[in-house]
Amino acid sequence: MKLIDVRHALTSFAVLTSGALALAACKSDGAAAGPPVNVVNIGSDGGVQGCVQPRFPAEQPDLSVIRQPEFITENSNGQATARPGDEIEAEITVNAATRYARIELKDAWFAPGQPIAVDEINTAGNQTLDVLLVTEPGQRFGRYYMRITLCGLDCGDQEVIFDMNPDINSDYERTVFEDGVPIQTDRTCLDFNPGGTVLIQ
């Protein structure tokens, strides 16, 4: 090995080491420490795109970030469609702490309104749940999404609700309720495109 190659290797090592030490020093500063986060790669090429969300406690009911809630469709573009009165199928994947899921089909543009269909499922946890939402023939057209409520053994103690924020083109918000009182709301990496909504038309 040439002397210049050895010098280049030593210089590179020194730069990498000092950068790592500086990063560690920043992380050890208690004043700058934030909540733990998960970095979730959502790009098809293994990491060019990504999303960051808090790391939620394992004892709280939760959805999988790897398998997002989605409507079942045969459309090549991934957008589920249905007619008023159709049975609409979907899937959600829950963690080990989840014992109950309530899935409401709600209008994305009129979210405060009542759901047009509801499915309730008991689970042992760590499962992908088959959701069946039965609509009525008189339902209006529109874009609909799943509002998801998860509980452990007792919904009265704690509920975790995944709902959209005012921007349907954004991601689900996750709110934890204890004894009916919201205690924490966070943005997640669970989005609505393309399989997260269904068009009733």
Side-chain angles (χ1 to χ4, degrees), residues 4 6 20 23 35 58 79 113 119 142 163 176 180 190 192:
I4 191 161
V6 172
L23 181 60
Q79 176 63 65
D119 194 6
D163 205 348
V176 179
L190 302 170
F192 294 94

Side-chain angles (χ1 to χ4, degrees), residues 39-179:
V39 178
V40 181
N41 291 325
I42 57 174
S44 58
D45 54 2
V48 171
Q49 297 178 348
C51 177
V52 177
Q53 72 174 36
R55 184 180 303 140
F56 303 118
E59 64 271 14
Q60 290 182 357
D62 208 353
L63 292 172
S64 168
V65 179
I66 306 302
R67 294 197 61 183
Q68 303 206 24
E70 64 180 356
F71 291 96
I72 307 302
T73 181
E74 296 179 3
N75 294 337
S76 59
N77 65 359
Q79 176 63 65
T81 57
R83 300 288 300 163
D86 284 355
E87 294 183 346
I88 299 171
E89 297 178 80
E91 289 182 344
I92 65 170
T93 301
V94 299
N95 72 348
T98 305
R99 293 294 175 267
Y100 167 85
R102 176 183 171 90
I103 302 93
E104 301 170 274
L105 189 61
K106 298 197 71 176
D107 191 318
W109 308 121
F110 302 100
Q114 294 297 312
I116 65 167
V118 177
D119 194 6
E120 297 179 280
I121 305 170
N122 292 313
T123 175
N126 271 343
Q127 291 181 319
T128 296
L129 308 178
D130 296 321
V131 179
L132 184 63
L133 297 159
V134 181
T135 64
E136 296 182 6
Q139 297 295 339
R140 65 174 180 262
F141 300 156
R143 185 177 181 194
Y144 292 82
Y145 74 101
M146 288 180 274
R147 180 182 189 268
I148 302 167
T149 301
L150 303 178
C151 302
L153 294 174
D154 188 348
C155 288
D157 289 341
Q158 185 181 73
E159 291 181 318
V160 178
I161 297 179
F162 291 83
D163 205 348
M164 71 170 207
N165 69 21
D167 179 8
I168 186 61
N169 296 311
S170 187
D171 303 321
Y172 269 106
E173 283 187 344
R174 178 187 190 273
T175 302
V176 179
F177 290 80
E178 291 185 357
D179 298 322

Side-chain angles (χ1 to χ4, degrees), residues 10-22:
L10 289 174
T11 302
S12 297
F13 177 76
V15 169
L16 289 173
T17 303
S18 63
L21 289 174

Side-chain angles (χ1 to χ4, degrees), residues 3 24 160 188:
L3 181 59
V160 178
T188 72

